[in-house]
Amino acid sequence: DPDTDEIAAELQQEVAQALGQVTLPSRENCGDCHFTGGGGDGVKHGDLDTSLVNPSRTLDVHMGTDGKNFTCTRCHTTVEHNIAGRIYTNPAVSTRKSLLEDDLAPKITCVSCHGSEPHKASDAKMNDHTDVVSCQACHIPEFARVNPTKMWWDWSKAGEFKDGKPYEEKGPFGKPVYKSIKGEFIWEKNVVPEYFWFNGSLSSVTADDVIDPTQIIKVNHPVGSKDDPEARIFPFKIHRGKQPYDKINKKLVAPLLSGKNGYWTTFDMNQAIALGNKTLGIEYSGEFDYVETTSAFPITHMVAPKENALSCNACHIRENSRLAGISQVYMPGRDKFSVVDTIGWGSVFAALIGVLLHGLGRFFIRNGKEE
């Protein structure tokens, strides 16, 4: 009976809520997966780690327990288990409609709450940047500011033993820099992001795609350009490393790691690849090697207080500009355009000469009248 089922479901919901079994998720709930994804705290996302369970305002102005104290669901709104912000399958910036206009719009971009002109009149020049520069680019100067994040993972070094047994070696942050089951790692703190044009989508290389092993393989990479109206200059963590690939078919592979015959038991990478690829129905030639790869992770958390945001000189400077990699655009202070520079300096010198001649003329005329 549909009516009976509906009544039963409502009663179950009421009982569960009364017992406190059903509540909105906390930062810790979400962080159980997102803070420790990739096999450990801060391994994948440089802006997501356990320091955000109870962060200070200086670490994140939105989630800081001494600040706004937002939970994840304050921005990542959910309708029928569809969570706003899943940019790997759908562009997060499909619309720039503001919550200031429509409170039902998904709360996922900074513009949603702060509007397209977030700065006060005294800083109005900053508002001229919002059509090409993401808020995150200036307001997240570094990531991994409390806990370190893994920046390098080399699978080609895996499989070494000490005294005939697998071993682990820890580095300066108390994090493993070598594990027999996974290879060699490099961890960093207070990492300066890398910047790319980004429209909310990422390109991906799968096990079906043919690769060029003489090149660094971008397993995923931001999509966008200066000509894309939806693209903004956006900060990223670029995770680098080496992973196995099929030498003959020139494709990335999917080794089986855990289980009775997995790599972590046998330390036989060739067998692990054969089993993993077979499970997925992917052809394997039987020959493998290692290729250098990168993976891009958008940086959107750990938003610093406004007093710690980047200054103009961080980007508009000739040497060591943060945006040195953003080409095809002219950036005052960073770039040199000889014709414009010549005209500019010529105008400055002409003005100085004019002021000097005017001053000398007034001096001699005044002295002549006094005589």
Side-chain angles (χ1 to χ4, degrees), residues 195-232:
Y195 302 87
F196 301 90
W197 289 103
F198 183 49
N199 64 14
S201 294
L202 293 162
S203 63
S204 298
V205 175
T206 72
D208 293 324
D209 296 317
V210 175
I211 65 171
D212 178 0
T214 65
Q215 304 293 319
I216 296 175
I217 307 304
K218 297 176 181 178
V219 175
N220 68 338
H221 199 72
V223 175
S225 71
K226 69 179 183 64
D227 300 317
D228 184 343
E230 293 296 333
R232 303 292 184 272

Side-chain angles (χ1 to χ4, degrees), residues 59-344:
L59 178 60
D60 191 289
V61 293
H62 300 114
M63 291 188 281
T65 55
D66 55 345
K68 299 295 184 182
N69 201 23
F70 286 172
T71 60
C72 304
T73 54
R74 178 64 180 84
C75 295
H76 294 277
T77 53
T78 305
V79 178
E80 297 180 351
H81 296 282
N82 294 311
I83 303 172
R86 301 167 71 181
I87 59 177
Y88 297 98
T89 54
N90 297 298
V93 198
S94 58
T95 176
R96 292 191 171 272
K97 193 172 187 179
S98 171
L99 290 178
L100 304 177
E101 305 169 48
D102 180 1
D103 195 48
L104 296 179
K107 301 180 180 73
I108 192 57
T109 63
C110 303
V111 174
S112 297
C113 292
H114 294 283
S116 58
E117 296 183 354
H119 302 97
K120 296 179 180 179
S122 57
D123 294 319
K125 184 61 182 175
M126 298 295 186
N127 292 328
D128 294 340
H129 290 68
T130 58
D131 59 336
V132 291
V133 181
S134 68
C135 301
Q136 293 91 331
C138 295
H139 288 273
I140 309 179
E142 293 92 21
F143 57 87
R145 298 203 299 274
V146 174
N147 297 337
T149 186
K150 187 179 287 186
M151 298 296 292
W152 171 263
W153 184 339
D154 186 351
W155 275 98
S156 72
K157 301 291 182 64
E160 296 180 6
F161 290 2
K162 276 188 177 180
D163 300 323
K165 297 180 181 180
Y167 73 99
E168 175 180 320
E169 181 181 334
K170 292 190 176 181
F173 298 117
K175 295 287 188 177
V177 293
Y178 183 81
K179 280 187 175 184
S180 297
I181 62 172
K182 294 183 177 181
E184 184 179 80
F185 318 120
I186 294 176
W187 298 77
E188 295 180 20
K189 285 181 65 174
N190 298 309
V191 184
V192 174
E194 297 183 43
Y195 302 87
F196 301 90
W197 289 103
F198 183 49
N199 64 14
S201 294
L202 293 162
S203 63
S204 298
V205 175
T206 72
D208 293 324
D209 296 317
V210 175
I211 65 171
D212 178 0
T214 65
Q215 304 293 319
I216 296 175
I217 307 304
K218 297 176 181 178
V219 175
N220 68 338
H221 199 72
V223 175
S225 71
K226 69 179 183 64
D227 300 317
D228 184 343
E230 293 296 333
R232 303 292 184 272
I233 297 172
F234 208 93
F236 285 84
K237 169 188 171 179
I238 302 298
H239 184 285
R240 293 175 167 84
K242 289 183 178 181
Q243 61 189 76
Y245 77 100
D246 187 321
K247 286 180 65 175
I248 305 303
N249 294 319
K250 291 184 171 54
K251 294 182 178 181
L252 296 178
V253 293
L256 178 68
L257 299 178
S258 60
K260 181 179 179 181
N261 296 311
Y263 180 76
W264 293 341
T265 301
T266 66
F267 290 92
D268 185 335
M269 183 61 77
N270 194 51
Q271 176 182 293
I273 295 171
L275 290 172
N277 275 28
K278 182 180 179 180
T279 301
L280 297 176
I282 301 172
E283 180 186 358
Y284 175 50
S285 69
E287 296 185 39
F288 77 96
D289 202 347
Y290 293 90
V291 63
E292 191 168 343
T293 60
T294 64
S295 295
F297 297 94
I299 297 298
T300 60
H301 307 89
M302 297 186 179
V303 179
K306 62 181 180 180
E307 58 268 22
N308 294 337
L310 295 178
S311 67
C312 302
N313 284 341
C315 301
H316 295 278
I317 188 172
R318 187 66 55 85
E319 300 292 335
N320 299 320
S321 168
R322 284 196 176 222
L323 300 186
I326 299 294
S327 59
Q328 299 180 326
V329 291
Y330 177 79
M331 189 177 300
R334 184 198 71 173
D335 299 325
K336 184 177 181 180
F337 189 37
S338 58
V339 175
V340 173
D341 288 348
T342 300
I343 294 173

